[in-house]
Amino acid sequence: MYDQLTGRYTFACPARGEVRVPLSRFRVLERLPGAAHPAVYKIIFACDCGGEHEGLATHEDLDWAPLAGSGVAFLNLMTDRLEPATAELLDVAAARIRAGDWPWSFFCYPEERPRPVFPSAFRVLAAGEEEVGLAVECPACAQTSVNVVSREHVDVPFYNDRRVAVVEHVFRFDRERAISAFRAELFSSAFDARRRDLAA
Ligand SMILES: [Zn+2]
Ligand SMILES: [Zn+2]
């Protein structure tokens, strides 16, 4: 599902079979009702073929696989055997998070402050030439803010843009509202935003 070496997720494409896309190619993330352990998200992603398709990802795939990897092995010099690196990588990630180093962050507009976040809180992404418009549902205040960030800010855990552009508008994102309308609004406003500092 997630490949640590390439930082990409594997999904199915009706034209090309299996495709690998980074997180920044996700377009819509929607938590499916029902399944709770683990929670399952419906993903709409922009495919290499030029189309958009749906795929599924679990909460762990979204939030922990980029930190823990999957199928990555390292040579344990004590045992001289290849062993999965998952536990070690998770330990390292947890220590960094405890030290205040966030794998992902965003600027919450209603609260006027940076917040740590995980990809399962991303709701909609709009792609620009170099940057990505990112709608995040704040885990603290539950309001949706839109930041304009670099692709690396989305794709590379523990890489955070020092400054991001913040759209000065509190977006309403709910099931009653058509996702297409939200995406259109995001796309038209995301690239006209003011810069805020994420890093102190
Ligand atoms: Zn495709
Ligand atoms: Zn907030």
Side-chain angles (χ1 to χ4, degrees), residues 30-44:
E30 185 185 7
R31 185 175 169 162
L32 295 177
H37 301 293
V40 176
Y41 291 75
K42 184 178 86 177
I43 310 296
I44 297 173

Side-chain angles (χ1 to χ4, degrees), residues 155-168:
D155 289 333
V156 183
F158 295 109
Y159 175 87
N160 291 287
D161 292 343
R162 293 191 66 80
R163 284 173 78 74
V164 299
V166 181
V167 177
E168 298 184 314

Side-chain angles (χ1 to χ4, degrees), residues 145-199:
S145 293
V146 174
N147 291 182
V148 183
V149 302
S150 69
R151 290 182 200 286
E152 291 76 19
H153 180 87
V154 174
D155 289 333
V156 183
F158 295 109
Y159 175 87
N160 291 287
D161 292 343
R162 293 191 66 80
R163 284 173 78 74
V164 299
V166 181
V167 177
E168 298 184 314
H169 175 64
V170 177
F171 287 80
R172 288 184 54 239
F173 182 77
D174 50 52
R175 282 174 192 280
E176 289 72 48
R177 191 129 176 265
I179 288 206
S180 59
F182 183 88
R183 294 177 75 183
E185 184 181 6
L186 168 58
F187 200 82
S188 64
S189 59
F191 301 99
D192 174 26
R194 287 218 198 138
R195 301 276 156 181
R196 298 284 210 294
D197 287 325
L198 269 187

Side-chain angles (χ1 to χ4, degrees), residues 63-85:
D63 290 356
W64 293 104
L67 303 179
S70 55
V72 178
F74 76 109
L75 183 65
N76 185 333
L77 295 174
M78 303 299 286
T79 61
D80 199 28
R81 280 165 49 178
L82 282 173
E83 295 181 359

